[in-house]
Amino acid sequence: MNKVILMGRLTRDPDIRYSQGANPTAVARYTLAVDRRFRRQNDDQSADFISCVAFGRSAEFAEKYFHKGIKIAITGRIQTGSYTNKEGQKVYTTDVIVDEQEFAESKKAAENGGKAAAKDERPETVPKVADGFMKIPDGVENIEGSAFAGCGSITAIVIPNSVTGMGSYAFADCINLTRVTIGNGLDVISDYAFRNCTSLGQVSFGNVTGIGESAFNSCTSLARVTLPDTLVSIGSSAFSNCSSLSRITIPDGVATVGDGAFYDCDALATVTIGNGVTVINPYSFYNCDALATVIIGDGVRSIESNAFYSCDSLAKVTIGSGLITIGYEAFQNCGNLTAITIPDSVTTIGAYSFQGSGLVSVTVGNGVTSIGERAFSGCESLTNVTLGDGLTSIYSSAFAGCTNLPGIVIPNNVTSIGDSAFYGCTALRSEEHTSELQS
């Protein structure tokens, strides 16, 4: 194993250079003065001076924030090498290649307890870290991608109002981060910004209008979220696998909720979707095992495929008056869903949409013209079905395997009943219709 952990102060400002080529890479070199714990007799040297090299975004971060006298902690690996100097002599080198780097003290600590060389030389623009708390200084406008990713010592972050931009993965994998306060200047929380911050339990969102893709993915300690009224969009997988999240209210201002936004949120029990959302996208609440209550706003026009698939605890769904389409497998395998009233605004019930659910009673509104293939198949508890007058087509196997369905009235406008539409309905005693049917 080749791993080095160091803490010390920079002896000078980092030396920054860029590689040649179409995509130049930043390279930062700096020397750390690391105090010795013990000093040999008659040895006046109290520190070792260790050459460190950082590449890419770590180098760019060092260029922006590191200065002579600052105290930092790094992890990395030892790399040896050699070269021939101008005199023809072979020179051997030893460097530490930096994997991670972070601040090791606040400005105040540096001024009170640091070396004299450090005093008054630490810039005001360096983020302050003390006891795990980091306040990014006022005046910083942008947080670069991966800027603090994997900084395990950070437990709380305050982002000031001056910050207006944030790069992807900015704070990803900060596994000890518990609290985030976002100022009012930030417009969009970037993709993957806090992904896998497994201790994160509290977020203040400021006035953000967008939450990016996977921004809080796998934040497994996040139990409650209050989204701001300024919010307009929630990206794909934004809160997926937030296994402690118990309740979510999507404000009326939100127009877009991306695919899988709350996928696998095992503890999510209540969802309220505001009137601004027009589409509940595929897999939005897929496999949310604890989800019991869903209130869908009047603005929603479509519930897409697998949106509530296998939400085993789902018992109550209130559908708004604007819904038009219920998509493929939208509520499949919702075992505790016993009753559903589909409003008149709906025109299409998609294939497999309620297959295998626990439905006992179904009321289909007058606007529905077609019931898709296997839409209610395998609903073994289904005993009461009311079909609306607008229905014209019942597709194949739509009610197959509804073994307890005793009877059904087929409206006059139905002209097509598909193959095996009622196959295996062993309790079916009466099937009334007066329309001209085609099979």
Side-chain angles (χ1 to χ4, degrees):
M1 178 181 291
N2 182 357
K3 185 172 184 178
V4 177
I5 302 174
L6 299 173
M7 182 181 292
R9 296 185 185 276
L10 267 68
T11 61
R12 62 180 184 274
D13 292 349
D15 177 32
I16 310 296
R17 299 184 182 184
Y18 286 83
S19 63
Q20 301 297 315
N23 297 302
T25 299
V27 181
R29 289 185 173 273
Y30 53 82
T31 299
L32 277 187
V34 180
D35 289 338
R36 292 179 176 177
R37 287 190 176 184
F38 305 100
R39 189 184 304 176
R40 294 179 181 178
Q41 189 174 7
N42 299 323
D43 186 356
D44 293 332
Q45 185 170 340
S46 61
D48 292 298
F49 298 89
I50 300 171
S51 174
C52 302
V53 184
F55 295 91
R57 289 183 174 176
S58 294
E60 293 169 6
F61 184 83
E63 179 180 25
K64 188 171 183 179
Y65 291 119
F66 288 0
H67 296 263
K68 177 181 177 182
I70 191 172
K71 188 175 184 181
I72 65 170
I74 70 165
T75 60
R77 66 188 187 279
I78 293 175
Q79 179 174 290
T80 59
S82 64
Y83 65 94
T84 302
N85 63 16
K86 294 179 180 179
E87 287 74 32
Q89 299 172 322
K90 194 167 189 178
V91 179
Y92 294 92
T93 63
T94 300
D95 297 305
V96 172
I97 305 302
V98 176
D99 293 325
E100 297 179 358
Q101 57 189 10
E102 56 188 84
F103 303 107
E105 66 177 0
S106 66
K107 181 184 176 183
K108 183 176 180 181
E111 291 176 344
N112 291 337
K115 295 182 178 181
K119 292 184 180 181
D120 300 324
E121 294 190 39
R122 181 168 181 168
E124 292 290 341
T125 55
V126 174
K128 307 173 180 66
V129 181
D131 299 325
F133 175 79
M134 182 174 73
K135 184 181 186 304
I136 296 173
D138 291 334
V140 172
E141 296 180 355
N142 190 56
I143 300 171
E144 299 291 342
S146 302
F148 300 96
C151 291
S153 64
I154 299 174
T155 61
I157 296 168
V158 174
I159 299 173
N161 294 336
S162 60
V163 172
T164 58
M166 177 187 291
S168 299
Y169 298 92
F171 299 94
D173 299 311
C174 292
I175 59 174
N176 292 308
L177 180 63
T178 62
R179 187 173 76 253
V180 173
T181 302
I182 298 172
N184 293 332
L186 186 64
D187 188 39
V188 177
I189 297 173
S190 62
D191 296 346
Y192 304 92
F194 297 95
R195 190 199 66 170
N196 202 38
C197 292
T198 53
S199 299
L200 183 60
Q202 182 180 338
V203 179
S204 176
F205 286 91
N207 290 328
V208 299
T209 62
I211 297 174
E213 178 182 348
S214 296
F216 296 93
N217 183 304
S218 297
C219 291
T220 53
S221 298
L222 193 60
R224 180 167 293 186
V225 169
T226 301
L227 299 175
D229 292 336
T230 54
L231 192 63
V232 174
S233 65
I234 299 172
S236 300
S237 302
F239 294 92
S240 64
N241 199 34
C242 289
S243 54
S244 297
L245 187 62
S246 62
R247 178 187 298 267
I248 194 76
T249 297
I250 299 174
D252 287 342
V254 174
T256 304
V257 178
D259 295 4
F262 298 92
Y263 185 110
D264 264 346
C265 290
D266 296 337
L268 189 60
T270 303
V271 171
T272 302
I273 299 172
N275 294 324
V277 175
T278 57
V279 177
I280 300 175
N281 274 309
Y283 301 94
S284 287
F285 299 94
Y286 183 99
N287 203 33
C288 292
D289 294 338
L291 185 57
T293 302
V294 174
I295 300 171
I296 298 172
D298 292 337
V300 173
R301 299 291 180 262
S302 177
I303 301 173
E304 297 292 301
S305 62
N306 301 101
F308 296 95
Y309 180 96
S310 201
C311 293
D312 295 336
S313 300
L314 187 58
K316 182 179 180 181
V317 177
T318 302
I319 298 176
S321 60
L323 189 64
I324 296 172
T325 303
I326 298 174
Y328 177 85
E329 295 184 350
F331 294 93
Q332 189 179 36
N333 292 337
C334 293
N336 279 312
L337 185 61
T338 59
I340 192 75
T341 297
I342 298 171
D344 292 343
S345 60
V346 174
T347 61
T348 304
I349 299 174
Y352 299 85
S353 51
F354 294 92
Q355 185 189 42
S357 67
L359 285 171
V360 174
S361 176
V362 173
T363 300
V364 176
N366 292 325
V368 173
T369 60
S370 64
I371 297 176
E373 178 184 355
R374 295 188 177 273
F376 297 96
S377 66
C379 295
E380 297 179 354
S381 300
L382 189 60
T383 59
N384 181 35
V385 175
T386 302
L387 301 177
D389 292 336
L391 188 65
T392 60
S393 300
I394 300 173
Y395 284 86
S396 60
S397 303
F399 293 91
C402 295
T403 54
N404 285 297
L405 184 63
I408 190 166
V409 176
I410 299 175
N412 294 335
N413 291 325
V414 173
T415 58
S416 175
I417 297 178
D419 296 345
S420 304
F422 296 92
Y423 179 84
C425 295
T426 55
L428 191 61
R429 297 188 301 274
S430 62
E431 178 183 324
E432 300 180 9
H433 62 81
T434 59
S435 59
E436 183 179 350
L437 298 178
Q438 300 174 356
S439 60

